[in-house]
């Protein structure tokens, strides 16, 4: 997308980073932010209380990855969200500075 400073970027993000982005967008933007895929409460139970590999189960990991990919594609494709600093930080910076000053990105 033309508004971003680099054409391609690759960053690693945890589920909690997606939660941070959603919280920031909910607070500072004028868009309806899509929901994240659900938390894995049952998958985090001790192994003796469940019959699978929990959060390390391949099917669970793939379903969550797909859900997070849908979330970020919807957000990054929204014209108003594209101007939010938090989205630029999330997509382009190796580390998320959670003490950043919220605001808009200038496109000049």
């Amino acid at each position: 997308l033309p508004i971003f400073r680099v054409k391609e970027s690759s960053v690693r993000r945890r589920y909690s980073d997606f939660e941070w982005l959603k919280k920031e967008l909910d607070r500072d933007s004028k868009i309806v932010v899509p929901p994240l895929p659900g938390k894995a409460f049952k998958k985090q139970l001790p192994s003796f209380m469940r019959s699978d590999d929990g959060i390390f189960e391949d099917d669970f990991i793939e379903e969550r990855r797909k859900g997070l990919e849908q979330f970020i594609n919807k957000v990054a494709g929204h014209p108003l969200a594209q101007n939010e600093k938090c989205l630029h930080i999330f997509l382009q910076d190796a580390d998320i500075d959670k003490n950043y000053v919220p605001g808009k990105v200038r496109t000049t």
Side-chain angles (χ1 to χ4, degrees), residues 62-84:
E62 182 59 16
E63 284 301 309
R64 174 165 283 177
R65 185 200 64 75
K66 285 179 183 176
L68 293 172
E69 184 177 8
Q70 288 176 334
F71 169 83
I72 201 63
N73 285 339
K74 286 179 183 176
V75 169
H78 195 291
L80 295 176
Q82 291 172 8
N83 294 317
E84 296 294 336

Short mmCIF file of all heavy atoms in Angstrom, two decimals, residues 62-84:
data_model
loop_
_atom_site.label_atom_id
_atom_site.label_comp_id
_atom_site.label_asym_id
_atom_site.label_seq_id
_atom_site.Cartn_x
_atom_site.Cartn_y
_atom_site.Cartn_z
N GLU A 62 -2.78 -23.20 12.90
CA GLU A 62 -3.16 -22.79 11.55
C GLU A 62 -4.45 -21.98 11.54
O GLU A 62 -4.57 -20.97 10.85
CB GLU A 62 -3.28 -24.01 10.62
CG GLU A 62 -3.61 -23.67 9.19
CD GLU A 62 -2.61 -22.75 8.49
OE1 GLU A 62 -1.47 -22.59 8.98
OE2 GLU A 62 -2.97 -22.18 7.46
N GLU A 63 -5.44 -22.41 12.32
CA GLU A 63 -6.71 -21.66 12.40
C GLU A 63 -6.47 -20.26 12.98
O GLU A 63 -7.02 -19.28 12.50
CB GLU A 63 -7.74 -22.41 13.24
CG GLU A 63 -8.37 -23.56 12.51
CD GLU A 63 -9.07 -23.15 11.22
OE1 GLU A 63 -9.89 -22.20 11.25
OE2 GLU A 63 -8.80 -23.76 10.18
N ARG A 64 -5.65 -20.17 14.02
CA ARG A 64 -5.36 -18.87 14.60
C ARG A 64 -4.60 -17.99 13.60
O ARG A 64 -4.89 -16.82 13.46
CB ARG A 64 -4.57 -18.99 15.89
CG ARG A 64 -4.17 -17.59 16.37
CD ARG A 64 -3.69 -17.48 17.74
NE ARG A 64 -4.77 -17.53 18.68
CZ ARG A 64 -4.57 -17.52 19.99
NH1 ARG A 64 -3.36 -17.46 20.47
NH2 ARG A 64 -5.57 -17.56 20.82
N ARG A 65 -3.63 -18.56 12.91
CA ARG A 65 -2.86 -17.80 11.91
C ARG A 65 -3.79 -17.23 10.85
O ARG A 65 -3.71 -16.06 10.50
CB ARG A 65 -1.79 -18.69 11.26
CG ARG A 65 -0.88 -17.92 10.31
CD ARG A 65 -0.16 -18.82 9.33
NE ARG A 65 -1.06 -19.52 8.43
CZ ARG A 65 -1.68 -18.96 7.39
NH1 ARG A 65 -1.54 -17.69 7.12
NH2 ARG A 65 -2.47 -19.69 6.62
N LYS A 66 -4.72 -18.05 10.36
CA LYS A 66 -5.67 -17.59 9.35
C LYS A 66 -6.53 -16.45 9.89
O LYS A 66 -6.78 -15.47 9.19
CB LYS A 66 -6.55 -18.75 8.88
CG LYS A 66 -5.87 -19.72 7.96
CD LYS A 66 -6.84 -20.84 7.58
CE LYS A 66 -6.18 -21.88 6.71
NZ LYS A 66 -7.11 -23.00 6.42
N GLY A 67 -7.02 -16.61 11.12
CA GLY A 67 -7.85 -15.57 11.72
C GLY A 67 -7.10 -14.26 11.90
O GLY A 67 -7.64 -13.19 11.65
N LEU A 68 -5.84 -14.34 12.33
CA LEU A 68 -5.03 -13.14 12.51
C LEU A 68 -4.70 -12.50 11.16
O LEU A 68 -4.66 -11.27 11.04
CB LEU A 68 -3.76 -13.46 13.29
CG LEU A 68 -3.99 -13.88 14.75
CD1 LEU A 68 -2.69 -14.35 15.38
CD2 LEU A 68 -4.62 -12.75 15.56
N GLU A 69 -4.47 -13.33 10.15
CA GLU A 69 -4.21 -12.81 8.81
C GLU A 69 -5.44 -12.07 8.27
O GLU A 69 -5.31 -10.98 7.70
CB GLU A 69 -3.82 -13.95 7.88
CG GLU A 69 -3.44 -13.50 6.48
CD GLU A 69 -2.98 -14.63 5.59
OE1 GLU A 69 -3.07 -15.81 5.98
OE2 GLU A 69 -2.51 -14.32 4.48
N GLN A 70 -6.62 -12.63 8.46
CA GLN A 70 -7.85 -11.95 8.03
C GLN A 70 -8.01 -10.62 8.77
O GLN A 70 -8.36 -9.60 8.16
CB GLN A 70 -9.07 -12.83 8.30
CG GLN A 70 -9.18 -14.00 7.36
CD GLN A 70 -10.35 -14.91 7.72
OE1 GLN A 70 -10.80 -14.96 8.87
NE2 GLN A 70 -10.85 -15.63 6.73
N PHE A 71 -7.75 -10.63 10.06
CA PHE A 71 -7.84 -9.40 10.86
C PHE A 71 -6.92 -8.32 10.30
O PHE A 71 -7.35 -7.20 10.02
CB PHE A 71 -7.50 -9.71 12.32
CG PHE A 71 -7.32 -8.48 13.17
CD1 PHE A 71 -8.42 -7.83 13.72
CD2 PHE A 71 -6.06 -7.96 13.42
CE1 PHE A 71 -8.27 -6.68 14.49
CE2 PHE A 71 -5.90 -6.82 14.19
CZ PHE A 71 -7.01 -6.18 14.73
N ILE A 72 -5.64 -8.65 10.11
CA ILE A 72 -4.69 -7.62 9.70
C ILE A 72 -4.95 -7.16 8.27
O ILE A 72 -4.77 -5.99 7.94
CB ILE A 72 -3.22 -8.07 9.92
CG1 ILE A 72 -2.30 -6.86 9.99
CG2 ILE A 72 -2.75 -9.05 8.87
CD1 ILE A 72 -2.56 -5.91 11.12
N ASN A 73 -5.41 -8.06 7.41
CA ASN A 73 -5.74 -7.66 6.03
C ASN A 73 -6.91 -6.69 6.01
O ASN A 73 -6.90 -5.72 5.25
CB ASN A 73 -6.03 -8.88 5.16
CG ASN A 73 -4.77 -9.63 4.78
OD1 ASN A 73 -3.67 -9.09 4.81
ND2 ASN A 73 -4.93 -10.89 4.43
N LYS A 74 -7.93 -6.93 6.84
CA LYS A 74 -9.07 -6.01 6.91
C LYS A 74 -8.62 -4.65 7.45
O LYS A 74 -8.99 -3.60 6.92
CB LYS A 74 -10.17 -6.58 7.79
CG LYS A 74 -10.94 -7.70 7.15
CD LYS A 74 -12.01 -8.24 8.09
CE LYS A 74 -12.73 -9.41 7.47
NZ LYS A 74 -13.71 -10.00 8.40
N VAL A 75 -7.84 -4.67 8.51
CA VAL A 75 -7.40 -3.41 9.13
C VAL A 75 -6.49 -2.64 8.17
O VAL A 75 -6.70 -1.46 7.93
CB VAL A 75 -6.69 -3.68 10.47
CG1 VAL A 75 -6.00 -2.43 10.99
CG2 VAL A 75 -7.68 -4.19 11.51
N ALA A 76 -5.48 -3.31 7.62
CA ALA A 76 -4.51 -2.63 6.75
C ALA A 76 -5.16 -2.14 5.46
O ALA A 76 -4.68 -1.18 4.86
CB ALA A 76 -3.34 -3.56 6.44
N GLY A 77 -6.25 -2.76 5.06
CA GLY A 77 -6.93 -2.34 3.84
C GLY A 77 -7.91 -1.21 4.05
O GLY A 77 -8.45 -0.65 3.08
N HIS A 78 -8.14 -0.82 5.29
CA HIS A 78 -9.10 0.25 5.57
C HIS A 78 -8.43 1.61 5.42
O HIS A 78 -7.42 1.88 6.07
CB HIS A 78 -9.66 0.10 6.98
CG HIS A 78 -10.87 0.93 7.22
ND1 HIS A 78 -10.84 2.31 7.28
CD2 HIS A 78 -12.17 0.56 7.39
CE1 HIS A 78 -12.06 2.77 7.49
NE2 HIS A 78 -12.89 1.72 7.57
N PRO A 79 -8.96 2.50 4.57
CA PRO A 79 -8.30 3.80 4.32
C PRO A 79 -8.06 4.64 5.57
O PRO A 79 -7.04 5.30 5.67
CB PRO A 79 -9.25 4.51 3.36
CG PRO A 79 -10.14 3.46 2.80
CD PRO A 79 -10.17 2.33 3.79
N LEU A 80 -8.98 4.62 6.52
CA LEU A 80 -8.79 5.43 7.74
C LEU A 80 -7.75 4.80 8.67
O LEU A 80 -6.96 5.51 9.29
CB LEU A 80 -10.11 5.63 8.48
CG LEU A 80 -11.16 6.46 7.74
CD1 LEU A 80 -12.46 6.51 8.54
CD2 LEU A 80 -10.66 7.86 7.44
N ALA A 81 -7.73 3.49 8.76
CA ALA A 81 -6.75 2.80 9.62
C ALA A 81 -5.34 2.99 9.08
O ALA A 81 -4.38 3.03 9.85
CB ALA A 81 -7.09 1.32 9.73
N GLN A 82 -5.20 3.13 7.77
CA GLN A 82 -3.88 3.27 7.16
C GLN A 82 -3.13 4.51 7.64
O GLN A 82 -1.92 4.58 7.53
CB GLN A 82 -4.00 3.29 5.64
CG GLN A 82 -4.41 1.97 5.06
CD GLN A 82 -4.71 2.05 3.58
OE1 GLN A 82 -4.47 3.05 2.93
NE2 GLN A 82 -5.23 0.96 3.03
N ASN A 83 -3.85 5.47 8.19
CA ASN A 83 -3.22 6.69 8.68
C ASN A 83 -2.83 6.63 10.15
O ASN A 83 -2.25 7.57 10.68
CB ASN A 83 -4.16 7.89 8.47
CG ASN A 83 -4.39 8.18 7.01
OD1 ASN A 83 -3.46 8.16 6.22
ND2 ASN A 83 -5.62 8.42 6.65
N GLU A 84 -3.14 5.54 10.82
CA GLU A 84 -2.86 5.43 12.25
C GLU A 84 -1.42 4.99 12.51
O GLU A 84 -0.95 4.01 11.94
CB GLU A 84 -3.83 4.43 12.90
CG GLU A 84 -5.29 4.86 12.86
CD GLU A 84 -5.58 6.09 13.69
OE1 GLU A 84 -4.83 6.38 14.64
OE2 GLU A 84 -6.58 6.77 13.38
#
